[in-house]
């Protein structure tokens, strides 16, 4: 299918990029060691090492789509890692904990304007709080 071919292509592409990056980094690391140890006093090699820069890869829309789908599905009600029985068990446990809490009234009350203004006055000025 096309999704298999597409995912396989991007997997192979990622492996190739990692291999290329590792080979390049190993080459420059060996060159750096040789220059530091005095084995190579070649200005051309030194300039090549000095000018070696990390190049940013282009925008990959497939990776962005995978990123978006991962976080969109992370908190979805129909998440594949948890079944309905576990979900209802967790929710009933949360309700039981809420009912048996020592001060559920204080936690569940509406926050008053006085509490908000008092908390704001306690904040340091000029700070991102």
């Amino acid at each position: 299918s096309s999704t298999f071919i597409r995912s396989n292509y991007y997997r192979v592409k990622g492996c190739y990029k990692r291999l290329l990056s590792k080979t390049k980094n190993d080459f420059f690391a060996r060159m750096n060691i040789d220059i530091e140890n005095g084995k190579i006093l070649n200005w051309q090699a030194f300039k090549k090492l000095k000018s070696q820069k990390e190049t940013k890869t282009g925008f990959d829309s497939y990776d962005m789509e995978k990123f978006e789908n991962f976080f969109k599905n992370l908190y979805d009600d129909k998440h594949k890692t948890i079944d309905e029985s576990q979900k209802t068990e967790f929710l009933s446990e949360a309700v039981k904990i809420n009912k048996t809490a020592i001060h559920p009234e204080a936690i569940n009350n509406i926050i008053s304007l006085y509490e908000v203004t008092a908390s704001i006055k306690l904040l340091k000025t000029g700070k991102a709080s």
Side-chain angles (χ1 to χ4, degrees):
S1 76
S2 63
T3 56
F4 172 75
I5 294 170
R6 184 177 188 187
S7 64
N8 196 29
Y9 166 76
Y10 282 105
R11 185 181 57 80
V12 171
K13 179 181 171 185
C15 290
Y16 174 75
K17 283 182 178 182
R18 284 190 296 277
L19 177 66
L20 191 64
S21 176
K22 182 183 178 327
T23 305
K24 183 173 131 182
N25 289 337
D26 290 346
F27 169 76
F28 283 115
R30 278 194 312 273
M31 186 184 295
N32 190 27
I33 290 169
D34 289 344
I35 289 172
E36 287 177 353
N37 293 336
K39 290 181 181 178
I40 297 177
L41 293 176
N42 182 352
W43 282 106
Q44 185 179 9
F46 182 73
K47 286 181 183 178
K48 190 174 186 180
L49 180 65
K50 186 178 175 184
S51 68
Q52 185 256 343
K53 297 177 184 175
E54 290 290 323
T55 56
K56 293 185 178 180
T57 57
F59 178 74
D60 194 349
S61 60
Y62 179 70
D63 290 338
M64 192 63 178
E65 182 182 338
K66 284 178 21 183
F67 175 83
E68 180 186 356
N69 287 337
F70 173 78
F71 282 102
K72 183 172 62 175
N73 297 330
L74 184 61
Y75 297 110
D76 191 13
D77 281 343
K78 296 179 176 96
H79 199 270
K80 60 185 175 190
T81 60
I82 190 165
D83 60 355
E84 283 296 318
S85 63
Q86 276 186 312
K87 184 178 173 182
T88 47
E89 183 181 327
F90 289 148
L91 290 174
S92 64
E93 185 69 25
V95 168
K96 188 188 330 178
I97 290 171
N98 191 28
K99 286 181 180 178
T100 60
I102 297 171
H103 300 291
E105 300 85 25
I107 292 173
N108 293 330
N109 281 344
I110 296 173
I111 300 171
S112 69
L113 182 61
Y114 172 76
E115 290 174 310
V116 173
T117 53
S119 297
I120 291 173
K121 287 180 183 178
L122 293 174
L123 297 173
K124 292 183 180 180
T125 57
K127 302 290 180 186
S129 298

